[in-house]
Amino acid sequence: MHRRRRGAGPPRPAQLRHFDHWQVRRAALAARYTAALADVPGIVPLEPAAAGRHAHHLYVVRVLDAYGTSRDDLVDLLARDGIGTSVHFVPPHHLPYFRDLLTAPPGGLPGTDALFPQLLSLPLYPDLGGAAVDRVCGALAATSWTTCRPPSA
C-alpha cells in the first residue's frame, strides 16, 4: 500500500476542482485513524498545531517506547505486510550535506533528537479506502499485541 502521486509540483487547474473533496476526504480518513488508534499503546497521533482547517496532507504518529518496538523496526514490519510508510521531517543536522554546514548549539538539539526517531507518517491520500486505514490500524495493533478499536463512522 503505497501513496499514489498525482504528479510532481503544485496542483494543476484541473485538479483544483477536486481540492475541497480531497481535503474533506483526508480529514475523514485522519479521523478514522485517530479513532482506531486511540487504544493502541505507544502510538500517539500528532495534534494539529493551530485551530482552523487542517490540510491533513500527512498523518503522523509518534511511536513511543510503550509500543514495544522502534519506529525503524515498525517501518520494516509494516513493509513486510505491504504497508508503505514514510519518515518525514529529518532534522537538517542529521543530513550529511548539512552536517558540516550547520553548527548545533552547545548541548546539541535534544528535543529534536529525541522526537525524530519517533515520527512516522502513515498512508494518507484522498483515494485511500477506509478498509486500507483499518488494515494499517490492524497491523499496528497486532504488532503491539493489542486490538484496534473499530471506527465509529
Side-chain angles (χ1 to χ4, degrees):
M1 175 183 323
H2 296 280
R3 181 174 175 219
R4 224 171 61 191
R5 290 194 53 147
R6 296 200 175 277
R12 296 183 180 105
Q15 292 175 317
L16 289 177
R17 70 174 179 256
H18 301 289
F19 182 78
D20 284 333
H21 167 73
W22 290 341
Q23 194 165 17
V24 167
R25 177 69 182 148
R26 286 191 310 266
L29 293 168
R32 188 176 188 121
Y33 269 127
T34 300
L37 295 173
D39 294 331
V40 179
I43 298 292
V44 179
L46 295 187
E47 296 289 328
R53 189 174 184 190
H54 193 284
H56 294 290
H57 68 290
L58 298 173
Y59 190 84
V60 181
V61 297
R62 290 178 67 190
V63 181
L64 304 178
D65 290 340
Y67 185 70
T69 191
S70 72
R71 185 258 334 256
D72 292 340
D73 288 341
L74 179 57
V75 167
D76 292 340
L77 289 168
L78 293 173
R80 282 186 224 141
D81 247 359
I83 299 170
T85 58
S86 298
V87 175
H88 289 89
F89 315 116
V90 177
H93 67 286
H94 286 227
L95 300 171
Y97 177 78
F98 290 106
R99 204 171 286 137
D100 295 333
L101 293 176
L102 301 175
T103 303
L109 300 169
T112 300
D113 291 333
L115 186 61
F116 168 63
Q118 299 175 349
L119 298 178
L120 180 64
S121 295
L122 301 179
L124 182 65
Y125 50 91
D127 294 336
L128 184 68
V133 171
D134 297 343
R135 181 170 168 256
V136 172
C137 292
L140 288 168
T143 303
S144 72
W145 302 287
T146 63
T147 304
C148 252
R149 185 172 62 188
S152 58

